[in-house]
Amino acid sequence: MLNLVLFGPPGAGKGTQSEKLIHKYNLVHLSTGDLLRSQIAAGTELGLRAKQLMDQGLLVPDEVVIGMIESKLRENQSAPGFIFDGFPRTVLQAEALDSLLSHYQTPITIMIALIVDDEELIRRLLKRGETSGRPDDKDETTARRRVSVYNKDTMPVADYYSQQGKFVGIDGIGTIDDIFLAICEKIDSQK
Ligand code: AP5
C-alpha cells in the first residue's frame, strides 16, 4: 500500500505529476480542488458556498474538505493506495487524515513537497488562466493571495510530516519528466 501526500503551493505541478503517478503506481487520485470543482459544476449547495471562497483564493472550511475525503476513502476501501493532492492544507486537516487512515491501518507512506519559488508560481498560474477558465487563475491579485494563503496556513503542514520523518522536498523547477523521475526515485526508495 502506498499513500502519498503530494504537497506544494498553487501551480507547483501537483495535478500534472499526479496524472503520471496514478498510472505508474496504480493509485486513486484524491484532489480536493477537483472534488470541489465537481460540486460547483453540479450546482450543489456545498459547491455554491465553496465557489465564493475559491474565487477569492481563500481556503474552504476544514470540515467540508475532511468530509469529502472521508467519503472518498469509504468508497475506495479496496484501492491499492492514494495520492492526496491539495490535501491536507492545514495542520487540522493533516491530523484528521491520520485519524481517518488509522481506521484502515494504512498510514501516509511519504509526503513529497514540490518546491517552486513564488514568482514562477505566479507566472504558471497566470499563463494557465489564459486557457483554463479557472476563475482563481485569472488575475494576479487572486493568484498572489493563493500563494500567500499557502505560505501562511499550509506551510506548517510540511513541519507536521517532517516531525513524522515523512517529508521529502523535490525541486519543482525543470522538465515535467525529470521531476516525475525524481519523485519516483524517492517513492521507490521508501518501498
Ligand atoms: P486546488 O485545485 O488544489 O489548486 P492549487 O493547490 O491552487 O493547485 P493548482 O491546481 O493551481 O496547481 P498544481 O500544483 O496542481 O499545479 P498544476 O499541475 O495544475 O485548489 C483550488 C482551491 O480549492 C483552493 O484555493 C481552495 O479554495 C480550495 N481547496 C482545495 N483543496 C482545499 C483544502 N484541502 N482545504 C481548503 N480549501 C481547499 O500546474 C500548474 C500549471 O503549471 C499548469 O499549467 C501546468 O501545465 C504547468 N506546469 C506543471 N509543471 C510544470 C513544470 N515543471 N514546468 C513548467 N510548467 C509546469
Side-chain angles (χ1 to χ4, degrees):
M1 183 102 187
L2 171 64
N3 282 329
L4 165 67
V5 171
L6 192 55
F7 187 78
K14 303 181 297 294
T16 304
Q17 295 297 334
S18 291
E19 280 307 311
K20 295 169 78 70
L21 290 164
I22 52 173
H23 296 299
K24 179 164 166 91
Y25 295 100
N26 191 26
L27 302 172
V28 172
H29 182 201
L30 293 183
S31 155
T32 39
D34 287 349
L35 293 171
L36 289 164
R37 282 184 287 276
S38 306
Q39 294 283 330
I40 293 171
T44 64
E45 199 186 320
L46 186 157
L48 289 174
R49 276 190 284 126
K51 181 172 166 45
Q52 291 177 355
L53 294 161
M54 292 168 75
D55 287 358
Q56 297 176 69
L58 300 172
L59 294 183
V60 170
D62 287 331
E63 64 272 17
V64 172
V65 285
I66 292 167
M68 289 192 319
I69 290 289
E70 184 174 16
S71 74
K72 285 289 162 192
L73 289 175
R74 210 178 308 117
E75 277 170 28
N76 290 282
Q77 286 187 37
S78 53
F82 296 92
I83 297 187
F84 298 94
D85 161 6
F87 181 92
R89 252 175 157 100
T90 62
V91 170
L92 199 142
Q93 291 179 21
E95 289 167 350
L97 180 58
D98 275 351
S99 163
L100 289 172
L101 290 176
S102 72
H103 297 305
Y104 304 104
Q105 280 141 9
T106 58
I108 292 298
T109 317
I110 183 170
M111 186 255 225
I112 293 188
L114 297 172
I115 297 162
V116 179
D117 64 85
D118 289 1
E119 293 314 309
E120 171 67 8
L121 297 171
I122 301 296
R123 259 194 300 279
R124 288 185 191 178
L125 294 175
L126 294 180
K127 187 169 171 217
R128 184 176 60 181
E130 291 166 8
T131 51
S132 71
R134 266 180 65 166
D136 55 349
D137 279 348
K138 278 196 181 135
D139 68 274
E140 187 168 341
T141 308
T142 309
R144 287 199 183 276
R145 191 177 298 126
R146 285 163 64 199
V147 171
S148 119
V149 166
Y150 171 84
N151 288 330
K152 180 170 157 287
D153 296 330
T154 304
M155 275 299 278
V157 175
D159 291 335
Y160 179 88
Y161 286 102
S162 198
Q163 280 160 19
Q164 295 186 3
K166 292 177 178 171
F167 173 94
V168 175
I170 298 244
D171 186 357
I173 295 188
T175 70
I176 289 167
D177 284 345
D178 283 349
I179 296 165
F180 177 64
L181 285 178
I183 295 173
C184 294
E185 231 171 68
K186 295 292 182 190
I187 293 174
D188 294 343
S189 70
Q190 293 287 314
K191 283 190 185 162

